[in-house]
Amino acid sequence: GFKVLKSEIEIGPVYHRLPERIRAHASICFMALILHRVMRSRLKAADVGYTPERALEQLQRIQHHRVRLNGGEPVTGV
């Protein structure tokens, strides 16, 4: 898990002094690791041939737009 956090998820070292901040940081890192592993297992089960990193690259390309022409109703789309 530590290797994934440092390389694939790219969580760098953060230095905290207060116990509640240390716990919060550890919780966020743990959630990121769990999400990464769930995503990896679901991609493997779907047999799409994507790694979590590749899937996130593809997802970053999706855009959502909202356009209003001549004061009319807004039109939204992906």
Side-chain angles (χ1 to χ4, degrees), residues 28-46:
I28 290 169
C29 291
F30 179 73
M31 286 186 282
L33 181 60
I34 294 299
L35 286 171
H36 185 273
R37 288 189 174 177
V38 167
M39 188 175 191
R40 183 178 59 199
S41 78
R42 289 191 179 182
L43 287 168
K44 187 175 182 178

Side-chain angles (χ1 to χ4, degrees), residues 31-73:
M31 286 186 282
L33 181 60
I34 294 299
L35 286 171
H36 185 273
R37 288 189 174 177
V38 167
M39 188 175 191
R40 183 178 59 199
S41 78
R42 289 191 179 182
L43 287 168
K44 187 175 182 178
D47 197 29
V48 293
Y50 278 10
T51 63
E53 294 76 26
R54 179 76 175 128
L56 290 173
E57 285 174 14
Q58 293 295 314
L59 290 172
Q60 285 178 345
R61 299 173 63 193
I62 298 174
Q63 298 179 11
H64 184 268
H65 297 279
R66 183 176 180 177
V67 179
R68 182 186 304 242
L69 299 173
N70 298 327
E73 290 296 314

Side-chain angles (χ1 to χ4, degrees), residues 1-15:
F2 184 78
K3 179 181 174 263
V4 170
L5 283 173
K6 297 301 176 184
S7 62
E8 295 176 21
I9 300 177
E10 297 179 6
I11 294 177
V14 178
Y15 302 101

